[in-house]
Amino acid sequence: MIELCEVTKSHRHGPNEVRALRGISAEIPAGSFTFILGPSGSGKSSLLYLIGSLDDPSSGEIVVDGRPLSQLTTAQRDKYRRDDVGFVFQSFNLLSNLTAVENALVPFLPGGVGGDLRRRAVDLLTQVGLGNRLDHRPSELSGGEQQRVAIVRAVLKRPKLVLADEPTGELDSATGAEVFGHLRRLHEEQRTTVLVVTHDQRYITPGDRLLRLQDGMIVGGV
Ligand SMILES: Nc1ncnc2c1ncn2[C@@H]1O[C@H](COP(=O)(O)OP(=O)(O)OP(=O)(O)O)[C@@H](O)[C@H]1O
Ligand SMILES: [Mg+2]
């Protein structure tokens, strides 16, 4: 469960202040599939970064499973980002000199990768249709294939929470639908809480939760 309590975020820009979020309060239940919708500049990415603790709110609090993020020590915060949250971004952030399997395993490289983990990476990549692309580098993969590697990388650590910022933004609609299908199936199988920013409402299905933002405020949903 994620509780957003009067969350604000202002960015200093020279002499000016941009108020990206102006007091967001909402509850996002564990295990839900939630869409964050809203026009460009409405604060969607800002909100996702705050929930992933990649950035701090200017005021307000974000409570994840009863733990206020502002109270975490640096070590606890690193652990939260590393173990609890899987990030999928619009630009896939794959490393160009690593293969699909190696890219999926990147978050684990510091601690060492055992055979079990490697097998799970191969299984998940195979499940999303990349069984014959395991040794391909990003330049040898299509956009949709790269995005599937990014999704596998995000879910491999069995995160409690997947944060996806326009994961299909650079894909054609057929490939986008396919990527959403994989994200949804992995969500159902691992009961992960998924928060996804998209401009494309076609991917919404009954039962999903919606959080609509406009000018840094919630205008509907949840
Ligand atoms: N680092 C920053 N410095 C100054 N202003 C920023 C910064 N980051 C975001 N903003 C501003 O905050 C507002 C919200 O930005 P945000 O990236 O959250 O929007 P968004 O809803 O994700 O938009 P898009 O759909 O275009 O990705 C925008 O007006 C943006 O210009
Ligand atoms: Mg954005």
Side-chain angles (χ1 to χ4, degrees):
M1 157 87 117
I2 303 166
E3 296 163 75
L4 305 170
C5 315
E6 290 296 322
V7 174
T8 75
K9 179 68 192 181
S10 297
H11 297 285
R12 184 151 296 288
H13 193 75
N16 303 317
E17 210 177 38
V18 179
R19 295 176 67 201
L21 297 172
R22 299 165 180 251
I24 302 282
S25 295
E27 289 184 356
I28 299 161
S32 63
F33 200 103
T34 301
F35 283 91
I36 301 178
L37 306 168
S40 179
S42 57
K44 306 180 299 295
S45 296
S46 301
L47 186 60
L48 221 53
Y49 295 153
L50 296 182
I51 294 172
S53 199
L54 298 175
D55 201 358
D56 294 313
S58 302
S59 69
E61 185 63 86
I62 297 172
V63 183
V64 178
D65 292 337
R67 292 187 307 170
L69 293 185
S70 68
Q71 310 277 302
L72 300 184
T73 63
T74 306
Q76 287 170 329
R77 184 176 159 124
D78 288 346
K79 187 175 183 311
Y80 170 71
R81 283 189 295 233
R82 190 188 61 227
D83 297 343
D84 295 347
V85 186
F87 295 98
V88 182
F89 294 113
Q90 181 170 357
S91 55
F92 321 115
N93 292 314
L94 300 182
L95 300 176
S96 60
N97 56 337
L98 299 185
T99 67
V101 179
E102 290 164 349
N103 261 297
L105 290 167
V106 156
F108 299 96
L109 293 179
V113 174
D116 279 356
L117 203 53
R118 181 170 288 272
R119 266 190 296 282
R120 233 167 71 69
V122 170
D123 281 352
L124 282 171
L125 287 167
T126 306
Q127 272 181 42
V128 299
L130 295 178
N132 56 354
R133 296 285 186 275
L134 299 175
D135 295 324
H136 284 230
R137 293 174 210 287
S139 63
E140 300 159 343
L141 295 169
S142 73
E145 289 170 343
Q146 291 181 54
Q147 192 58 291
R148 281 180 262 165
V149 174
I151 289 171
V152 168
R153 181 182 57 190
V155 302
L156 192 56
K157 55 187 171 183
R158 301 185 199 277
K160 292 192 199 122
L161 178 61
V162 167
L163 301 177
D165 196 354
E166 302 196 39
T168 61
E170 294 181 5
L171 308 177
D172 65 65
S173 61
T175 316
E178 216 173 90
V179 163
F180 255 96
H182 294 305
L183 200 55
R184 236 176 238 290
R185 195 158 48 81
L186 296 166
H187 156 252
E188 280 156 19
E189 285 169 5
Q190 304 196 13
R191 295 206 173 76
T192 312
T193 309
V194 177
L195 263 165
V196 55
V197 171
T198 184
H199 282 288
D200 198 334
Q201 310 214 4
R202 279 177 301 178
Y203 300 122
I204 300 169
T205 64
D208 295 338
R209 298 173 70 85
L210 308 180
L211 201 70
R212 286 182 198 278
L213 296 186
Q214 198 173 324
D215 295 331
M217 289 181 289
I218 292 182
V219 292
V222 177

